[in-house]
């Protein structure tokens, strides 16, 4: 059965800290690994990873995929209170369906 | 570019009643998905359409849930009769296609929050 496991499930840090969120996956006919940020409404797209070892960066966020170990991490440096959200990891199969993990709830304290 | 539109935003119904949700995907997106997100969980795929055909409905509880996508554009998801455990956010998403390089255009709507009492 396909599954995506995220850790930790919740995390509390202070502004300025660096955090690493983990995602392991087992997805049949795996094609891509996606990261989303979810505040109160719809998940918003952060990154899509398809190749191992190539880091993607967007401002203070970065992510990398390891297809051998079936693992991805999302890093956030110099965290801000606006980074507080649930971060979802999803494995994409060949049909376009996404298998989501339960998410990591990040709380950034001032 | 307009996003994925969903309505209503919120719905409260009693158990055993019926309810319907509507989704209008991004123009030109051939693939449409309905997800159920229970509080504290990640979204779970209910059904996937490619144009107006069903690609995957293996996790749709077909005894009470139904969905259609008329003319390959708008879609409706119906629950009849609703149960307490159906309380969740129902998210609609669309994408250009299913190939990996089109997946970063995979866009979610704001969802419909359903409460069954």
């Amino acid at each position: 059965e396909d599954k995506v496991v995220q850790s930790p499930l919740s995390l509390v840090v202070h502004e300025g800290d660096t955090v690493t969120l983990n995602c392991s996956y087992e997805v049949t006919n795996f094609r891509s690994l996606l990261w989303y940020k979810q505040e109160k409404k719809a998940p918003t797209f952060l990154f899509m990873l398809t190749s191992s070892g190539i880091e993607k960066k967007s401002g203070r966020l970065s992510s990398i995929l390891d297809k051998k170990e079936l693992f991805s991490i999302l890093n956030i440096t110099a965290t801000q209170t606006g980074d507080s959200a649930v971060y979802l990891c999803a494995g994409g199969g060949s049909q376009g369906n996404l298998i989501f993990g339960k998410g990591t709830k990040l709380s950034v304290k001032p | 570019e307009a996003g994925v539109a969903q309505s209503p935003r919120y719905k409260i119904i009693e158990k055993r009643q019926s309810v319907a949700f509507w989704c209008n995907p991004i123009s030109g997106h051939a693939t449409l998905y309905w997800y159920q997100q229970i509080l504290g969980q990640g979204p779970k795929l209910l059904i996937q359409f490619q144009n107006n055909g069903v690609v995957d409905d293996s996790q749709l509880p077909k005894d009470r849930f139904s969905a259609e996508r008329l003319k390959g554009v708008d879609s409706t998801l119906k629950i009849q009769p609703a149960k307490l455990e159906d309380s969740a956010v129902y998210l609609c998403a669309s994408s250009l296609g299913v190939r990996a390089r089109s997946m970063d255009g995979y866009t979610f709507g704001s969802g419909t929050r359903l409460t069954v009492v």
Side-chain angles (χ1 to χ4, degrees), chain A residues 10-60:
Chain A
S10 66
L11 190 56
V12 180
V13 301
H14 288 94
E15 274 193 314
D17 289 350
T18 294
V19 298
T20 298
L21 309 184
N22 305 299
C23 175
S24 65
Y25 64 91
E26 293 178 31
V27 175
T28 307
N29 296 321
F30 174 82
R31 290 292 184 268
S32 56
L33 191 291
L34 293 90
W35 284 96
Y36 288 87
K37 178 181 182 181
Q38 187 174 33
E39 294 170 273
K40 292 187 176 178
K41 298 180 181 178
T44 53
F45 174 79
L46 294 175
F47 297 109
M48 184 183 79
L49 304 156
T50 57
S51 301
S52 271
I54 299 175
E55 185 182 53
K56 289 208 170 181
K57 292 196 72 171
S58 177
R60 296 176 293 102

Side-chain angles (χ1 to χ4, degrees), chain A residues 59-109:
Chain A
R60 296 176 293 102
L61 277 66
S62 63
S63 184
I64 197 162
L65 175 67
D66 184 334
K67 292 171 77 172
K68 182 178 177 184
E69 298 297 328
L70 307 184
F71 193 80
S72 176
I73 61 172
L74 175 69
N75 281 317
I76 309 174
T77 59
T79 51
Q80 302 171 357
T81 54
D83 296 327
S84 296
V86 174
Y87 290 84
L88 293 167
C89 170
S94 60
Q95 296 209 95
N97 56 307
L98 294 180
I99 311 298
F100 281 89
K102 291 185 177 182
T104 294
K105 183 177 181 180
L106 175 65
S107 299
V108 182
K109 304 291 186 186

Side-chain angles (χ1 to χ4, degrees), chain A residues 38 41-42 48 95-96 98 101, chain B residues 35 37 42 48 55 98 100 106 109:
Chain A
Q38 187 174 33
K41 298 180 181 178
M48 184 183 79
Q95 296 209 95
L98 294 180
Chain B
Y35 285 85
Q37 187 174 21
Q48 176 184 348
V55 174
V98 299
Y106 203 115

